[in-house]
Amino acid sequence: MKNIYYSILCSLLLGITFTSCNDYLDVVPKGSKIPQTLADFEALIRNEYTNHTVDVNQALNLLNDKYVSSSTLSYDRLTNANYLWDETADRIELNKADEGTYYFGYSAISSFNLIIENALTTTEATEAEQKELWAEAKVLRAMCYFNLVNYYADTYEASTAASKLSVPLITSADINAPSEQVSIQDMYGFILKDVEEALPFLPTVGQTILHPSLGTGYAFYARVYLQMNNYVEALKYANMALAENDELYDWTSFYNANKALIENPDSYTRMPSPMGYDYVENYDYRHGSVARFTSENNIPTERAERFETGDARFLSRWKIRDVGAETYYYSTLSGNFNYGGITTVEAYLIKAECLVRDGKVNEAMDVLNKVRKTRILPDVYDDLTAANKAEAINAILRTKNNELILTLIPFCDARRLNAEGVYTVSFTKTYNGTTYSLSSDSHLWTMPFPQGATDNPGNGTITQNVEK
């Protein structure tokens, strides 16, 4: 057990943020030690680059939500298979090095397991402080498992969830802890229980934006229930999240304040990102696949075409650019980007979809338009209306996919909708003169476990959830 304590503490010394090095050494003495105090364990939550990185690169490649250069496609065969929707490719064979999603996820789970096992017996803390830290780790562990099960396993379907495998479930920080690849049903049950147990002890405002708040718990519950097609519970918790925080950032004001630079076709100067730690829409903050970089991914021209005309959020983030023979939309913001956490706009759009599912189309469109008014420039803005459920769902999902681009959520939504079979998601594109398609029932919608995981499953076994 001590070995894992030492390894995690070493990573803290390398990766901790939100305090200076001197401040950190004022709290934790130099050298290795076995953590005992509440502050020792709480520091694991502040270790953001290890425990708050949500790497979902191959999902972004499959959706074509990020631009991939022709040179990358020529040598990265796994990226090529997902980006060009090659159903003949053996992605299991190709997935020998793309292990970030798996190991970032389970590394964070190990840290949160360590907190959960010890928080209630830490020293130099009140009982309330102990329970709060314990609850925060519960929510963060549940978020990690949600990401993993929606990446490496089939999407949740009530009729098959009990018979299909998900991902290894590990609940101990012991380096020799056993794991079991539980069913999708069991994994979702575990996730829901973690959050249920945490909710009574979550703070209204977290100690930092890395620490889940009560709003985080409610919003995450809404996300999970939506993925399970439980629209009643998803709506309930979306409303509860919005009662905690319903702020929307005014991107039209941001655009107008930076209009001269944004509209200059010859300028690619990067402006500071407003989507960092203090973004008013944050419930909590987690990094995405670009955690160690200071700019967003570029996006393909075909993807840019799916944004609404006058979308100030899009116009403020990307600008078309030609580099040699390739054209794409270049990232024009720098700083931090909340790709792995939860924001108010997601809660609004979950609420909107749930209202449609309940037949309340007009109410749903009111919620959608409340979001759009902070995004679409006033000179082109019009309220959207819908004559039926299908029109409303399509409008909501278009906005949601654009709002949450470069996160895992559009991938989760597409899988959920494809399993439902009513509002299915498929794509067609032409690349270098060849037409490619991704069907709604393609096996590509489930990612294979990396070779490192299947060859070294630890104290357990791992069965691939996809044939190739």
Side-chain angles (χ1 to χ4, degrees), residues 292-323:
R292 289 171 175 78
F293 301 94
T294 58
S295 62
E296 299 195 83
N297 284 308
N298 303 321
I299 64 174
T301 56
E302 298 85 355
R303 181 63 186 85
E305 292 169 359
R306 299 208 296 271
F307 284 85
E308 279 194 66
T309 300
D311 187 331
R313 192 167 186 262
F314 163 71
L315 295 170
S316 300
R317 295 168 69 185
W318 294 284
K319 184 180 294 186
I320 196 165
R321 188 171 194 177
D322 296 320
V323 177

Side-chain angles (χ1 to χ4, degrees), residues 411-428:
F411 180 73
C412 294
D413 280 343
R415 285 157 42 95
R416 170 175 63 90
L417 295 166
N418 288 340
E420 180 189 24
V422 179
Y423 309 104
T424 56
V425 178
S426 58
F427 298 106
T428 299

Side-chain angles (χ1 to χ4, degrees), residues 13 16 19-26:
L13 292 172
I16 196 163
T19 57
S20 69
C21 291
N22 289 335
D23 289 341
Y24 180 74
L25 293 175
D26 288 339

